[in-house]
Amino acid sequence: MGMLKLTVIAFPLVLGACATALPPGITAPDAGFSLVADKTRAATGRKSVWLQTSAQSQQVAKEIHALTHRKTITADTAVQVALLNNRGLQSSYAAVGLSAADIWQESTPENPIVSVGLLGIGAPELGLFRALESAVAVNLLDRPTRKRRVAVAQANFQQAQMQAVVDTLTLAAATRTAWIDAVAAFETVTLLNKASQAADASSELAQQLGQTGALNRSGQAREQVFDAELAAQTAEARLAASVAKEQLTRLMGLWGTEVDYFVPDALPALPNGLRGTGAIEAQALQNRVDLQVAKLSLAATAQAYGLTDATRVLTDLEVIAGAELEREVEEDGDTETSVLPQVELEFQIPIYDSGKARMRKAELSYLQAANSLAETAVAVRSEARVAETKYRGTHAIAKQYRDVVLPLRRIIDEESLLANNGMITSTFELLVDVREGLGSRLSAAEAKHQFWLAAAGLDAAIYGGGGGAGGPEAGGVELAAGGGAGH
């Protein structure tokens, strides 16, 4: 009898045995992260880390402190700190680990369900119980569908990896853009501070001439209002620069004493030449990570479609096997024990839900993913063309200011100063030229600002990330200190 019971109970266990082979490294603590790190380094030139232990966090904290504390940081340094320290990015990396765990889970056979029951407990003539029932239930669809379920999990895993790359590139792009914005804002403050010196001199001179009667109240007011408006404009510029730097600080994940860092006073000078952008559409189609995510989404949907087709009729099929051990008291007082095997098959009868609705949903999901992929490809091509146009266009505009407008303004300033020194023109005519020259210099600085944003956006169009990406070199020139001690 004992052998019979063992055989009956072991039967369903054999049906559900044999785990699917796991892909290499899927059970490692950093499963899947090496691909993320390699792709992001290729696009940004900077390393990324997945922090899972306190020791790793402490090491990164030391590295960040050495890079930023009381240092004037470059755009590349800002990007590196963000990739090491941004906690939202760590959440994205954890999603990769969760997807790897899903593959592990789907590769493992489903645990059988064991049930044990006692009947007639406490009957004095039978001892502790009258009958013992035991059963083991195993889902028969677990093993036949496991391969496809693992394939679905693997497709989702690859998609999670590429999404982590997208998130990394997006952070790198946003950080580089924030650095450019912050430096440009401080460059504006520097220009306004220089103009304020001339405005202060003008206001003071106007006040002195007014006291002597050489300048009426209207003339005094015109000179003093320029000084007052410039002071307000400078205060606004300082506020904008502080806010821009704080945005950079937030993206880098800095707080406490670690916010004690500086950015340069000015953006780098405009480069004379432009980087090659030949076949930029082809580069974008080959390298854009968001396009790869869309392709993987289509693949995952196709895998899920196959699984839906495999379980269209039967969605839940279980075999329940066990044995019943029963005691009976004979007329002569002896107790007889018998073991009865039991086998049950449990499944849904597709009377109402034949699976057609689920199949239709699977087909439409696939069509939806395919159309989304096509739309993404069109958008990628367009973004690449726009990025190239902006890159070349902003360079031409900034070059016009650098090579034509500002040199002419310098000639005007020099001649006005000579005329003023020779008493040919009045001091106030000189200050009018100073005002107009300030406007030209501010416009030139903004043109240079827009060029560096476009240069960063060119990398974003090729690799992904949006709004300004981060290669190790943006526009072929490293974005480093443009001058001054920084802010």
Side-chain angles (χ1 to χ4, degrees):
M1 289 297 186
M3 287 298 295
L4 175 60
K5 181 174 73 170
L6 178 61
T7 302
V8 172
I9 295 178
F11 171 69
L13 298 180
V14 173
L15 293 178
C18 299
T20 302
L22 287 170
I26 206 67
T27 60
D30 59 346
F33 182 70
S34 60
L35 181 142
V36 177
D38 291 343
K39 282 189 171 292
T40 54
R41 181 182 286 275
T44 67
R46 299 291 165 260
K47 69 176 182 179
S48 52
V49 297
W50 182 7
L51 303 177
Q52 300 187 59
T53 66
S54 58
Q56 289 177 317
S57 299
Q58 292 173 5
Q59 178 61 35
V60 165
K62 293 178 181 178
E63 186 174 350
I64 291 170
H65 183 82
L67 288 171
T68 61
H69 191 64
R70 296 189 176 276
K71 302 286 180 60
T72 300
I73 65 172
T74 66
D76 288 336
T77 300
V79 170
Q80 180 61 88
V81 172
L83 297 190
L84 293 175
N85 200 43
N86 188 281
R87 298 299 167 175
L89 197 58
Q90 294 298 316
S91 176
S92 180
Y93 295 160
V96 177
L98 289 173
S99 296
D102 286 339
I103 297 177
W104 192 356
Q105 183 71 53
E106 293 295 350
S107 301
T108 306
E110 184 176 322
N111 290 327
I113 300 174
V114 179
S115 62
V116 178
L118 298 176
L119 301 178
I121 298 177
E125 70 279 7
L126 298 175
L128 294 178
F129 57 89
R130 180 177 182 274
L132 169 66
E133 294 182 348
S134 63
V136 178
V138 173
N139 186 354
L140 291 181
L141 291 181
D142 175 58
R143 185 176 179 183
T145 62
R146 188 180 305 145
K147 185 176 181 180
R148 288 189 175 180
R149 286 187 286 110
V150 170
V152 171
Q154 287 178 320
N156 291 333
F157 172 62
Q158 293 174 338
Q159 189 175 2
Q161 286 179 303
M162 300 311 298
Q163 186 59 53
V165 176
V166 170
D167 294 341
T168 305
L169 296 183
T170 300
L171 176 63
T175 304
R176 185 172 291 271
T177 298
W179 185 92
I180 294 172
D181 289 340
V183 176
F186 281 111
E187 185 170 5
T188 298
V189 173
T190 300
L191 292 173
L192 290 172
N193 283 335
K194 291 179 179 179
S196 295
Q197 298 175 4
D200 290 341
S202 172
S203 179
E204 183 179 352
L205 179 59
Q207 186 176 5
Q208 293 175 357
L209 292 177
Q211 293 173 354
T212 63
L215 187 66
N216 58 29
R217 292 182 62 190
S218 177
Q220 294 179 58
R222 274 194 294 270
E223 300 309 320
Q224 291 172 354
V225 74
F226 173 64
D227 185 35
E229 289 175 346
L230 189 57
Q233 190 176 357
T234 303
E236 291 176 355
R238 288 197 187 99
L239 176 60
S242 297
V243 172
K245 185 181 178 183
E246 184 56 40
Q247 168 68 6
L248 176 62
T249 302
R250 181 165 61 252
L251 290 172
M252 291 193 296
L254 300 178
W255 60 281
T257 59
E258 296 303 325
V259 302
D260 191 10
Y261 71 94
F262 309 100
V263 295
D265 292 330
L267 287 169
L270 194 69
N272 292 323
L274 293 175
R275 59 187 287 188
T277 57
I280 189 171
E281 288 185 47
Q283 293 183 56
L285 290 174
Q286 180 180 358
N287 295 289
R288 279 287 288 263
V289 181
D290 52 347
L291 187 59
Q292 296 177 39
V293 170
K295 292 178 180 178
L296 290 171
S297 177
L298 182 63
T301 305
Q303 293 286 358
Y305 177 86
L307 180 60
T308 301
D309 184 52
T311 59
R312 181 167 60 90
V313 178
L314 289 179
T315 59
D316 190 12
L317 178 62
E318 287 189 348
V319 61
I320 302 174
E324 178 180 346
L325 186 149
E326 184 174 356
R327 294 176 179 176
E328 292 185 1
V329 179
E330 302 293 340
E331 294 181 358
D332 57 3
D334 294 335
T335 302
E336 182 180 351
T337 302
S338 60
V339 177
L340 301 176
Q342 295 179 337
V343 177
E344 297 180 15
L345 189 64
E346 183 177 293
F347 58 92
Q348 289 183 351
I349 301 177
I351 298 177
Y352 307 109
D353 184 3
S354 63
K356 291 183 179 180
R358 285 185 287 110
M359 287 293 296
R360 181 58 176 163
K361 289 173 64 177
E363 292 171 359
L364 292 176
S365 295
Y366 182 82
L367 289 175
Q368 185 181 46
N371 285 304
S372 178
L373 173 59
E375 182 185 23
T376 302
V378 172
V380 164
R381 289 177 176 271
S382 177
E383 290 170 13
R385 294 192 299 270
V386 169
E388 182 180 23
T389 301
K390 290 178 65 176
Y391 176 63
R392 297 187 178 279
T394 54
H395 182 268
I397 295 170
K399 191 171 183 291
Q400 177 72 8
Y401 273 103
R402 184 195 67 180
D403 296 344
V404 180
V405 176
L406 292 184
L408 290 175
R409 274 296 169 194
R410 280 194 292 270
I411 293 174
I412 293 173
D413 292 343
E414 292 170 357
E415 293 299 320
S416 296
L417 183 59
L418 291 174
N420 178 261
N421 291 338
M423 306 301 289
I424 299 175
T425 60
S426 70
T427 302
F428 300 114
E429 290 176 341
L430 174 64
L431 291 174
V432 169
D433 293 333
V434 171
R435 296 177 189 177
E436 294 177 352
L438 172 62
S440 295
R441 284 187 288 274
L442 289 175
S443 296
E446 178 57 24
K448 183 174 64 172
H449 175 207
Q450 292 302 317
F451 165 74
W452 285 117
L453 289 178
L458 192 62
D459 286 327
I462 294 174
Y463 294 102
E473 295 182 354
V477 178
E478 182 181 357
L479 286 175
H487 296 273

